Amino acid sequence: ASADAYSIAEKLITNEKILFMGGAMEIEPGLLSGFDNYEVTGFDKGAMFGPMMGSIPFIGYIFELPEGADADAFVTGLKDNANPRWQICVVADETIVEVNGNKVFFLMSPMTLEQ
């Protein structure tokens, strides 16, 4: 059985390369951090993971798409509406979006996590 979005997010945020205290939480379709006024919809389940403190330009999502969903259109919506300056004092250096089966991985982060 494949892991659900929340389980994947929890595992990712505990990676030893992530040098900050982080957490994961389930999300619902709608307005999400990092996308300004764009409503992210079209997924069945989702989870967000990121730092507990808001001064690090890092945010990640795992989305589970319904069977038969247009993953390319979903990814295009994310890429076109992601705002690397979603935080007032910092900016993410890179945005990564990947699809694996019905799951979409989205990440905005600095190039390094050295603090």
Side-chain angles (χ1 to χ4, degrees):
S2 69
D4 67 6
Y6 180 73
S7 298
I8 294 168
E10 276 193 316
K11 185 71 171 168
L12 288 169
I13 200 64
T14 62
N15 185 300
E16 65 186 21
K17 295 198 183 291
I18 295 178
L19 306 176
F20 54 77
M21 175 74 78
M25 62 185 239
E26 293 181 350
I27 56 167
E28 299 289 329
L31 297 174
L32 301 176
S33 291
F35 297 98
D36 294 337
N37 292 321
Y38 177 70
E39 290 197 30
V40 181
T41 61
F43 63 95
D44 284 340
K45 293 182 182 176
M48 176 231 140
F49 57 100
M52 294 294 193
M53 300 298 289
S55 61
I56 302 168
F58 180 106
I59 193 163
Y61 292 97
I62 302 293
F63 300 100
E64 290 182 42
L65 304 183
E67 189 173 328
D70 185 345
D72 290 338
F74 185 82
V75 165
T76 297
L78 295 179
K79 287 180 178 178
D80 289 351
N81 292 283
N83 179 3
R85 291 190 177 277
W86 81 99
Q87 296 199 40
I88 196 160
C89 295
V90 295
V91 61
D93 298 318
E94 64 181 332
T95 300
I96 300 166
V97 187
E98 297 289 335
V99 178
N100 185 346
N102 75 324
K103 303 219 177 37
V104 176
F105 171 84
F106 176 91
L107 179 70
M108 286 192 289
S109 72
M111 292 301 280
T112 64
L113 292 174
E114 297 170 8
Q115 295 299 318

